[in-house]
Amino acid sequence: MISEKQAGPNVNSLRGFEVIDRIKYQLEAACPLTVSCADILAIAARDAVAMRGGPCWEVYLGRKDSLKASFDGANQFIPAPNSSLETLIANFKQQGLDIGDLVALSGSHTMGEARCLSFRQQIHDESAEEEQYDKYERYTTFRRILRSICPRSGKDNRLAPLDFQTPARFDNNYFINILEGRGLLGSDNVLVKEDHEGEIRRRVWAYASNQELFFAAFVNSMLRMGNTNVLYGNEGEIRRNCRFINT
């Protein structure tokens, strides 16, 4: 099978699977064929958020692992970093998630890093630069920093933090950043730039102003996303090794 790790949005991007491997190894030694890789991922995501100052929540368990890979699905349903707002809304809707989930879950970009290849287009787009104005030149300075990391060509795998203010902390700075035009990815900034109705912008302002409100919305949306396309019973299996189906 061709792994979804090789799909366009994931290749040379996703990292840290060795951590999941170590967790799975210890669980299999203690309780064979009991905890699925899908549940491990859900718990690890929660713990990563909580350990970096974010909220904690009870993770629903009982998922099964897939009997196949999702290479085509990953290419089709994972939003590209330069997606328009219309595309983002459509992608989330296909998974049963709404605009509220889109805004809250986008807040996860308060942690992590992205490759130069993911943000090159927006920082070297001269027409986009002309649309920005800020008497303190915060946007101009931000773009200058990004261009020093990511030139017009080459250095595709250089990394930049998704949140330059507090890159290792889970907080509401992401929303403050995009209000100032300082989202790293094009798909971050469109939440404000392309929201002609104002509903998304109001949510962004609310989360930028009230971190606890963002945390509550994030937990709710994580639970909703965690209940999407769950496999039960004979629909899946509990893998012995997260990298392979059982033989």
Side-chain angles (χ1 to χ4, degrees):
M1 293 188 295
I2 302 176
S3 170
E4 57 266 30
K5 293 177 185 176
Q6 301 305 311
N10 296 332
V11 66
N12 297 323
S13 177
L14 292 177
R15 299 179 297 278
F17 287 108
E18 68 281 357
V19 177
I20 304 301
D21 291 337
R22 289 199 296 269
I23 295 170
K24 182 62 174 173
Y25 177 81
Q26 294 185 36
L27 282 169
E28 285 301 302
C31 304
L33 295 176
T34 303
V35 183
S36 69
C37 301
D39 278 350
I40 292 172
L41 283 168
I43 297 169
R46 186 272 312 274
D47 291 353
V49 169
M51 290 172 65
R52 292 297 183 174
C56 191
W57 62 93
E58 184 176 350
V59 177
Y60 300 139
L61 303 175
R63 302 168 183 80
K64 290 291 185 69
D65 297 318
S66 177
L67 298 172
K68 58 184 181 180
S70 303
F71 177 81
D72 292 337
N75 278 322
Q76 183 178 357
F77 297 120
I78 297 179
N82 59 348
S83 293
S84 67
L85 180 57
E86 182 180 7
T87 298
L88 291 173
I89 292 172
N91 283 149
F92 272 68
K93 187 176 181 180
Q94 286 175 316
Q95 304 304 317
L97 302 172
D98 59 23
I99 287 176
D101 298 313
L102 166 60
V103 180
L105 293 174
S106 293
S108 63
H109 286 183
T110 185
M111 292 197 309
E113 298 172 312
R115 292 188 301 150
C116 167
L117 191 65
S118 299
F119 59 88
R120 171 180 287 127
Q121 179 179 344
Q122 79 152 352
I123 65 170
H124 291 289
D125 182 356
E126 300 300 336
S127 62
E129 185 169 17
E130 293 174 2
E131 296 174 5
Q132 301 290 337
Y133 59 92
D134 187 311
K135 63 182 179 181
Y136 300 111
E137 296 187 347
R138 287 174 294 190
Y139 179 78
T140 303
T141 303
F142 177 62
R143 176 170 287 209
R144 190 179 300 121
I145 293 171
L146 292 181
R147 285 177 174 175
S148 70
I149 298 171
C150 181
R152 287 187 180 274
S153 62
K155 311 296 183 183
D156 287 357
N157 291 323
R158 275 192 176 179
L159 298 173
L162 289 161
D163 172 8
F164 268 82
Q165 302 304 309
T166 53
R169 186 168 181 80
F170 194 96
D171 55 26
N172 65 336
N173 255 317
Y174 167 81
F175 298 101
I176 298 171
N177 291 339
I178 62 174
L179 285 172
E180 297 176 346
R182 293 190 295 173
L184 181 65
L185 306 179
S187 56
D188 293 327
N189 293 311
V190 296
L191 295 181
V192 173
K193 289 172 56 179
E194 297 182 9
D195 175 34
H196 304 302
E197 301 299 324
E199 178 183 353
I200 292 176
R201 191 178 293 108
R202 284 191 292 272
R203 290 177 185 268
V204 170
W205 271 106
Y207 297 156
S209 305
N210 187 330
Q211 181 167 275
E212 293 306 314
L213 182 65
F214 161 51
F215 282 2
F218 182 81
V219 167
N220 181 62
S221 292
M222 283 294 288
L223 291 173
R224 289 188 65 185
M225 183 174 67
N227 287 329
T228 299
N229 300 324
V230 175
L231 300 178
Y232 301 104
N234 294 330
E235 297 175 325
E237 66 180 11
I238 296 178
R239 295 185 183 182
R240 294 184 178 89
N241 183 321
C242 293
R243 296 176 184 266
F244 307 100
I245 61 172
N246 297 337
T247 56

